[in-house]
Amino acid sequence: MADSFWSDADRHLVRYIGAGSFVREIIDRAEGSFVFTADGRRLLDFTSGQMSAILGHSHPAVVATIQQQAATLDHLFSGMLSRPVVELARRLAGSLPAPLEKVLLLTTGAESNEAAIRMAKLVTGRHEIISFARSWHGMTQAAASATYSSGRKGYGPAAPGNVAIPTPNAYRPDFTLPGGELDWRRQLEFSFELFDAQSVGSLAACIVEPILSSGGVLDLPPGYLAALRDKVHQRGGLLILDEAQTGLCRTGEWYAFQRDGVVPDILTLSKTLGAGLPLAAVVTSPEIEQTAHERGFLFFTTHVSDPLVAAVGNTVLDVLEADRLDEQAAHLGAYLRKGLREIGQRHPVVGDVRGRGLLVGLELVSDRESKRPADALGAAVTARCLELGLHMNVVQLPGMGGVFRIAPALTSTHAELDLGLEILDRALADVVPQFTACRSESR
């Protein structure tokens, strides 16, 4: 059966993971923090699916909502509205600071970023878009044009006016203070000197994640976001925050931007909002929405304002509120980072542990002094973790080491985190000596 499965998969599926490949396991079901394979193996899911299943897999409340809503009202013509849609819009607005209260419900993060960029261009009458050089905002046209971490080569021209600026990276600083720390203020000044040299005076928006996830779990330094907003506003642009992975309690707060006291002009949500189902949102101010509407803003899709996923979104908010999962994420995140740092004390290949709440990055390096990347080591540790029963995701970007992007469900237990830490520790112990021996032989 498995042989037929993989031969059919290899013959008929389009490979969409770039140079990567599919995990060679047939997944039969998932429950809570675990996925289960066809041959009976249990894998601890340290990525919450695609960083989305914040309530774990098949949460009973979500399952009940899907069953009830699918039997009642699942899909409508794009111009029709239902109670779950309006209720979710009201509740999202209620969870956010003023003036964020106008909501557009869509399906994916790329789609929500596409709509946000389109809205910003229409409202400002401009076309230039700034994003980070390590950014990932999606694979549709405008979102892909604002994505620089991978996937740019071979597809022809990107949308005109897109400009990358350096990504603040405290572990690998490019501008430094006398003590060696990242000088983000000087870096930001340099970034906008570069932008101003290229700009034709038509900045529509800057789109960034408060914590770059696919960029290597890079947290913006405190103060950076406010300074970035000011520079964008000085040039007549809007600030779009992409909280696909950081929104809705993942970082220990309802929204990652709350730490900085910065309210974006446009906020995009996805992944965590649907807790595994395709649900996304664009949230903005009445003023921006009014201007967009007056200018004929057009962005509707087959599944805009779908009642089924909107009902799930309401259930997600119910569980987040009732179980106080923002506090849970802050507590478990501190516990997880402590365990990872203890692993780092035993394994010198651990260069850095960073992140907020239950979005944590662990960077592997060849040695801590040089911080040389350890791509092959990261891939080998990932494979060994899978053999031992832990699914991990390693981000490998040019000039960086292998960065494990760790994002367990917010409903995880201490015992599940301990299990993941134990397996990772063992995988490092199994794999690192082999690489050390190989390096010694090659010298």
Side-chain angles (χ1 to χ4, degrees), residues 434-443:
Q434 302 171 23
F435 277 79
T436 304
C438 288
R439 284 206 309 271
S440 299
E441 291 173 6
S442 64
R443 285 173 184 165

Side-chain angles (χ1 to χ4, degrees), residues 165-166 175 183-196 224 227-228 231 234-235:
I165 61 173
F175 288 80
D183 187 349
W184 63 261
R185 291 177 179 83
R186 194 153 61 96
Q187 185 200 53
L188 188 62
E189 289 296 331
F190 175 75
S191 298
F192 275 83
E193 287 173 8
L194 282 178
F195 170 73
D196 289 337
Y224 184 98
L228 175 66
K231 289 192 174 295
Q234 287 164 9
R235 289 159 177 79

Side-chain angles (χ1 to χ4, degrees), residues 105-387:
L105 296 178
L106 299 165
T107 56
T108 69
E111 193 175 61
S112 61
N113 288 333
E114 198 81 20
I117 291 170
R118 188 175 176 89
M119 180 180 290
K121 288 181 175 180
L122 182 65
V123 167
T124 62
R126 300 171 170 206
H127 73 280
E128 292 174 339
I129 303 294
I130 295 172
S131 52
F132 285 131
R134 298 287 188 190
S135 61
W136 178 281
H137 297 294
M139 287 286 96
T140 53
Q141 179 62 23
S145 295
T147 292
Y148 293 95
S149 61
S150 61
R152 292 188 69 85
K153 292 179 173 58
Y155 305 99
N162 279 269
V163 177
I165 61 173
T167 305
N169 185 343
Y171 184 61
R172 297 174 180 276
D174 46 8
F175 288 80
T176 57
L177 295 166
E181 304 90 353
L182 173 67
D183 187 349
W184 63 261
R185 291 177 179 83
R186 194 153 61 96
Q187 185 200 53
L188 188 62
E189 289 296 331
F190 175 75
S191 298
F192 275 83
E193 287 173 8
L194 282 178
F195 170 73
D196 289 337
Q198 300 170 78
S199 172
V200 296
S202 186
L203 179 60
C206 173
I207 180 169
V208 297
E209 297 173 275
I211 303 174
L212 284 82
S213 178
S214 295
V217 192
L218 300 176
D219 195 357
L220 299 185
Y224 184 98
L225 199 55
L228 175 66
R229 172 204 58 198
D230 292 346
K231 289 192 174 295
V232 171
H233 284 177
Q234 287 164 9
R235 289 159 177 79
L238 302 178
L239 178 63
I240 302 171
L241 289 187
D242 176 355
E243 291 229 24
Q245 297 191 36
T246 56
L248 298 172
C249 302
R250 167 65 75 188
T251 65
E253 296 181 275
W254 271 78
Y255 301 96
F257 69 74
Q258 290 175 300
R259 184 200 69 177
D260 296 88
V262 173
V263 180
D265 299 298
I266 304 175
L267 174 69
T268 62
L269 302 169
S270 61
K271 292 186 184 289
T272 56
L273 181 58
L277 270 74
L279 176 62
V282 178
V283 192
T284 191
S285 67
E287 179 183 5
I288 290 174
E289 191 277 339
Q290 181 64 30
T291 301
H293 176 67
E294 289 171 355
R295 296 181 181 180
F297 179 65
L298 179 67
F299 198 97
F300 69 86
T301 69
T302 301
H303 295 284
V304 67
S305 296
D306 257 1
L308 174 59
V309 288
V312 169
N314 282 309
T315 297
V316 171
L317 296 185
D318 288 341
V319 176
L320 292 175
E321 292 167 359
D323 295 349
R324 300 169 73 171
L325 290 185
D326 53 338
E327 299 174 16
Q328 172 93 333
H331 168 72
L332 290 178
Y335 184 84
L336 177 61
R337 288 191 300 278
K338 178 176 180 290
L340 291 171
R341 291 190 181 103
E342 289 172 354
I343 288 175
Q345 292 172 1
R346 293 189 289 275
H347 301 283
V349 294
V350 174
D352 193 30
V353 175
R354 53 184 179 255
R356 272 191 267 164
L358 282 174
L359 179 57
V360 182
L362 181 145
E363 182 164 346
L364 298 181
V365 293
S366 296
D367 64 88
R368 289 175 180 168
E369 186 175 349
S370 70
K371 302 181 183 178
R372 282 187 296 119
D375 292 354
L377 176 61
V381 173
T382 302
R384 182 60 178 145
C385 282
L386 189 65
E387 291 173 356

Side-chain angles (χ1 to χ4, degrees), residues 63-79:
V63 172
T65 297
I66 293 171
Q67 291 173 334
Q68 178 182 351
Q69 191 63 41
T72 306
L73 181 62
D74 56 357
H75 171 70
L76 287 171
F77 170 69
S78 299

